[in-house]
Amino acid sequence: MLNKYARAFFTRVLTPFAAFLIRRGVSPDTVTLIGTAGVVAGALVFYPRGEFFWGTVVITLFVFSDLVDGNMARQLGRSSRWGAFLDSTLDRVADGAIFGGFALWYAGSGNDNVLCAVSIFCLASGQVVSYTKARGESIGLPVAVNGLVERAERLVVSLVAAGFAGLHKFGVPGIQYLLPVALWIVAVGSLVTLVQRVVTVRRESAEAEAAADREARGSEAAK
């Protein structure tokens, strides 16, 4: 849902900014690299110190690069396999930094091994969820399932919760518990999504093999 509606909305909003960068001679790949560097810096500099509000502010400023670079490529009319590969690869780096930052906090000053483990699970499951779709498509399957919690949902739930949880340092009581709740939601949702994709690939694989068998038998009968 977020991929479909929020992405379309922000693409329209960010189109003028993308056009401005093009006029300045900035390439889409440069935006991708700078955006990822900003997200990684925000996550690994602020989150391990428990500065969730400011870390989220920095990450949010840079995370929209994921929409800007694609918008620029479309305006330039030169979308490429390399650009898609770079964008997808650096998305995984950014996601790893965000959940890695949470894990470092809970392993250190946050002093909660369970939430550290949950953060690591969110990191790993997010990577595997993305891999299942990419691997399924690479062997010729459509992987026609949206899934309960995809990348957009993981980021929005985690970052919104982290940002609000950071307000605890400004004197807002009890709000720090939003982040643990969000991490559990993302962990469970990612697990459900992983199962959905594995089941889908298994079904599509069986259907493809059955269709191939029928075609082979038809070819033999025609002879």
Side-chain angles (χ1 to χ4, degrees), residues 16-31:
F17 180 60
F20 168 78
L21 292 178
I22 291 172
R23 290 194 298 272
R24 290 288 182 174
V26 180
S27 72
D29 288 352
T30 299
V31 173

PDB file of all heavy atoms in Angstrom, residues 16-31:
ATOM      1  N   PRO A  16      10.045  18.532  -9.146  1.00  0.00           N
ATOM      2  CA  PRO A  16      10.757  19.806  -9.388  1.00  0.00           C
ATOM      3  C   PRO A  16      12.187  19.795  -8.839  1.00  0.00           C
ATOM      4  O   PRO A  16      13.104  20.340  -9.469  1.00  0.00           O
ATOM      5  CB  PRO A  16       9.889  20.844  -8.663  1.00  0.00           C
ATOM      6  CG  PRO A  16       8.534  20.224  -8.603  1.00  0.00           C
ATOM      7  CD  PRO A  16       8.782  18.761  -8.421  1.00  0.00           C
ATOM      8  N   PHE A  17      12.383  19.178  -7.672  1.00  0.00           N
ATOM      9  CA  PHE A  17      13.728  19.109  -7.092  1.00  0.00           C
ATOM     10  C   PHE A  17      14.640  18.247  -7.961  1.00  0.00           C
ATOM     11  O   PHE A  17      15.814  18.586  -8.180  1.00  0.00           O
ATOM     12  CB  PHE A  17      13.655  18.544  -5.678  1.00  0.00           C
ATOM     13  CG  PHE A  17      14.992  18.429  -5.003  1.00  0.00           C
ATOM     14  CD1 PHE A  17      15.784  19.538  -4.785  1.00  0.00           C
ATOM     15  CD2 PHE A  17      15.469  17.180  -4.592  1.00  0.00           C
ATOM     16  CE1 PHE A  17      17.022  19.439  -4.164  1.00  0.00           C
ATOM     17  CE2 PHE A  17      16.699  17.068  -3.977  1.00  0.00           C
ATOM     18  CZ  PHE A  17      17.473  18.197  -3.758  1.00  0.00           C
ATOM     19  N   ALA A  18      14.085  17.138  -8.481  1.00  0.00           N
ATOM     20  CA  ALA A  18      14.872  16.277  -9.367  1.00  0.00           C
ATOM     21  C   ALA A  18      15.273  17.038 -10.624  1.00  0.00           C
ATOM     22  O   ALA A  18      16.406  16.929 -11.104  1.00  0.00           O
ATOM     23  CB  ALA A  18      14.062  15.027  -9.734  1.00  0.00           C
ATOM     24  N   ALA A  19      14.351  17.837 -11.166  1.00  0.00           N
ATOM     25  CA  ALA A  19      14.653  18.634 -12.362  1.00  0.00           C
ATOM     26  C   ALA A  19      15.743  19.665 -12.064  1.00  0.00           C
ATOM     27  O   ALA A  19      16.620  19.925 -12.902  1.00  0.00           O
ATOM     28  CB  ALA A  19      13.386  19.325 -12.857  1.00  0.00           C
ATOM     29  N   PHE A  20      15.700  20.245 -10.856  1.00  0.00           N
ATOM     30  CA  PHE A  20      16.719  21.225 -10.450  1.00  0.00           C
ATOM     31  C   PHE A  20      18.104  20.582 -10.415  1.00  0.00           C
ATOM     32  O   PHE A  20      19.089  21.162 -10.892  1.00  0.00           O
ATOM     33  CB  PHE A  20      16.366  21.792  -9.070  1.00  0.00           C
ATOM     34  CG  PHE A  20      17.462  22.585  -8.438  1.00  0.00           C
ATOM     35  CD1 PHE A  20      17.720  23.895  -8.833  1.00  0.00           C
ATOM     36  CD2 PHE A  20      18.248  22.026  -7.432  1.00  0.00           C
ATOM     37  CE1 PHE A  20      18.744  24.625  -8.245  1.00  0.00           C
ATOM     38  CE2 PHE A  20      19.271  22.758  -6.842  1.00  0.00           C
ATOM     39  CZ  PHE A  20      19.519  24.064  -7.255  1.00  0.00           C
ATOM     40  N   LEU A  21      18.189  19.370  -9.858  1.00  0.00           N
ATOM     41  CA  LEU A  21      19.481  18.676  -9.785  1.00  0.00           C
ATOM     42  C   LEU A  21      20.004  18.347 -11.184  1.00  0.00           C
ATOM     43  O   LEU A  21      21.213  18.445 -11.439  1.00  0.00           O
ATOM     44  CB  LEU A  21      19.333  17.392  -8.960  1.00  0.00           C
ATOM     45  CG  LEU A  21      19.057  17.577  -7.469  1.00  0.00           C
ATOM     46  CD1 LEU A  21      18.875  16.222  -6.794  1.00  0.00           C
ATOM     47  CD2 LEU A  21      20.181  18.356  -6.791  1.00  0.00           C
ATOM     48  N   ILE A  22      19.103  17.974 -12.076  1.00  0.00           N
ATOM     49  CA  ILE A  22      19.512  17.683 -13.455  1.00  0.00           C
ATOM     50  C   ILE A  22      20.115  18.926 -14.098  1.00  0.00           C
ATOM     51  O   ILE A  22      21.153  18.858 -14.767  1.00  0.00           O
ATOM     52  CB  ILE A  22      18.316  17.162 -14.275  1.00  0.00           C
ATOM     53  CG1 ILE A  22      17.910  15.763 -13.779  1.00  0.00           C
ATOM     54  CG2 ILE A  22      18.649  17.118 -15.758  1.00  0.00           C
ATOM     55  CD1 ILE A  22      16.620  15.252 -14.389  1.00  0.00           C
ATOM     56  N   ARG A  23      19.463  20.061 -13.891  1.00  0.00           N
ATOM     57  CA  ARG A  23      19.973  21.318 -14.461  1.00  0.00           C
ATOM     58  C   ARG A  23      21.351  21.660 -13.903  1.00  0.00           C
ATOM     59  O   ARG A  23      22.164  22.297 -14.574  1.00  0.00           O
ATOM     60  CB  ARG A  23      18.997  22.460 -14.197  1.00  0.00           C
ATOM     61  CG  ARG A  23      17.694  22.357 -14.991  1.00  0.00           C
ATOM     62  CD  ARG A  23      16.939  23.667 -14.957  1.00  0.00           C
ATOM     63  NE  ARG A  23      16.549  24.062 -13.600  1.00  0.00           N
ATOM     64  CZ  ARG A  23      15.429  23.692 -13.000  1.00  0.00           C
ATOM     65  NH1 ARG A  23      14.563  22.904 -13.644  1.00  0.00           N
ATOM     66  NH2 ARG A  23      15.137  24.094 -11.785  1.00  0.00           N
ATOM     67  N   ARG A  24      21.605  21.222 -12.672  1.00  0.00           N
ATOM     68  CA  ARG A  24      22.898  21.476 -12.034  1.00  0.00           C
ATOM     69  C   ARG A  24      23.960  20.466 -12.443  1.00  0.00           C
ATOM     70  O   ARG A  24      25.108  20.529 -11.993  1.00  0.00           O
ATOM     71  CB  ARG A  24      22.741  21.448 -10.506  1.00  0.00           C
ATOM     72  CG  ARG A  24      21.974  22.627  -9.948  1.00  0.00           C
ATOM     73  CD  ARG A  24      22.799  23.883 -10.014  1.00  0.00           C
ATOM     74  NE  ARG A  24      22.101  25.030  -9.446  1.00  0.00           N
ATOM     75  CZ  ARG A  24      22.651  26.211  -9.280  1.00  0.00           C
ATOM     76  NH1 ARG A  24      23.906  26.401  -9.659  1.00  0.00           N
ATOM     77  NH2 ARG A  24      21.962  27.215  -8.781  1.00  0.00           N
ATOM     78  N   GLY A  25      23.578  19.503 -13.271  1.00  0.00           N
ATOM     79  CA  GLY A  25      24.537  18.519 -13.750  1.00  0.00           C
ATOM     80  C   GLY A  25      24.800  17.367 -12.800  1.00  0.00           C
ATOM     81  O   GLY A  25      25.782  16.634 -12.948  1.00  0.00           O
ATOM     82  N   VAL A  26      23.922  17.175 -11.822  1.00  0.00           N
ATOM     83  CA  VAL A  26      24.067  16.068 -10.868  1.00  0.00           C
ATOM     84  C   VAL A  26      23.502  14.797 -11.492  1.00  0.00           C
ATOM     85  O   VAL A  26      22.426  14.819 -12.093  1.00  0.00           O
ATOM     86  CB  VAL A  26      23.333  16.379  -9.545  1.00  0.00           C
ATOM     87  CG1 VAL A  26      23.480  15.221  -8.557  1.00  0.00           C
ATOM     88  CG2 VAL A  26      23.856  17.673  -8.929  1.00  0.00           C
ATOM     89  N   SER A  27      24.202  13.681 -11.353  1.00  0.00           N
ATOM     90  CA  SER A  27      23.735  12.427 -11.934  1.00  0.00           C
ATOM     91  C   SER A  27      22.889  11.645 -10.928  1.00  0.00           C
ATOM     92  O   SER A  27      23.045  11.807  -9.715  1.00  0.00           O
ATOM     93  CB  SER A  27      24.931  11.563 -12.351  1.00  0.00           C
ATOM     94  OG  SER A  27      25.596  11.042 -11.214  1.00  0.00           O
ATOM     95  N   PRO A  28      21.976  10.789 -11.404  1.00  0.00           N
ATOM     96  CA  PRO A  28      21.183   9.956 -10.494  1.00  0.00           C
ATOM     97  C   PRO A  28      22.044   9.078  -9.590  1.00  0.00           C
ATOM     98  O   PRO A  28      21.721   8.892  -8.414  1.00  0.00           O
ATOM     99  CB  PRO A  28      20.333   9.104 -11.451  1.00  0.00           C
ATOM    100  CG  PRO A  28      20.216   9.933 -12.686  1.00  0.00           C
ATOM    101  CD  PRO A  28      21.539  10.631 -12.813  1.00  0.00           C
ATOM    102  N   ASP A  29      23.146   8.533 -10.129  1.00  0.00           N
ATOM    103  CA  ASP A  29      24.017   7.685  -9.310  1.00  0.00           C
ATOM    104  C   ASP A  29      24.629   8.463  -8.153  1.00  0.00           C
ATOM    105  O   ASP A  29      24.791   7.926  -7.047  1.00  0.00           O
ATOM    106  CB  ASP A  29      25.131   7.090 -10.169  1.00  0.00           C
ATOM    107  CG  ASP A  29      24.621   6.013 -11.114  1.00  0.00           C
ATOM    108  OD1 ASP A  29      23.445   5.624 -10.998  1.00  0.00           O
ATOM    109  OD2 ASP A  29      25.396   5.574 -11.986  1.00  0.00           O
ATOM    110  N   THR A  30      24.961   9.724  -8.391  1.00  0.00           N
ATOM    111  CA  THR A  30      25.517  10.567  -7.325  1.00  0.00           C
ATOM    112  C   THR A  30      24.500  10.755  -6.211  1.00  0.00           C
ATOM    113  O   THR A  30      24.833  10.679  -5.020  1.00  0.00           O
ATOM    114  CB  THR A  30      25.936  11.936  -7.887  1.00  0.00           C
ATOM    115  OG1 THR A  30      26.943  11.754  -8.878  1.00  0.00           O
ATOM    116  CG2 THR A  30      26.481  12.830  -6.779  1.00  0.00           C
ATOM    117  N   VAL A  31      23.241  10.988  -6.586  1.00  0.00           N
ATOM    118  CA  VAL A  31      22.178  11.148  -5.587  1.00  0.00           C
ATOM    119  C   VAL A  31      22.010   9.865  -4.789  1.00  0.00           C
ATOM    120  O   VAL A  31      21.843   9.893  -3.567  1.00  0.00           O
ATOM    121  CB  VAL A  31      20.849  11.531  -6.279  1.00  0.00           C
ATOM    122  CG1 VAL A  31      19.693  11.524  -5.276  1.00  0.00           C
ATOM    123  CG2 VAL A  31      20.975  12.910  -6.921  1.00  0.00           C
TER     124      VAL A  31
END
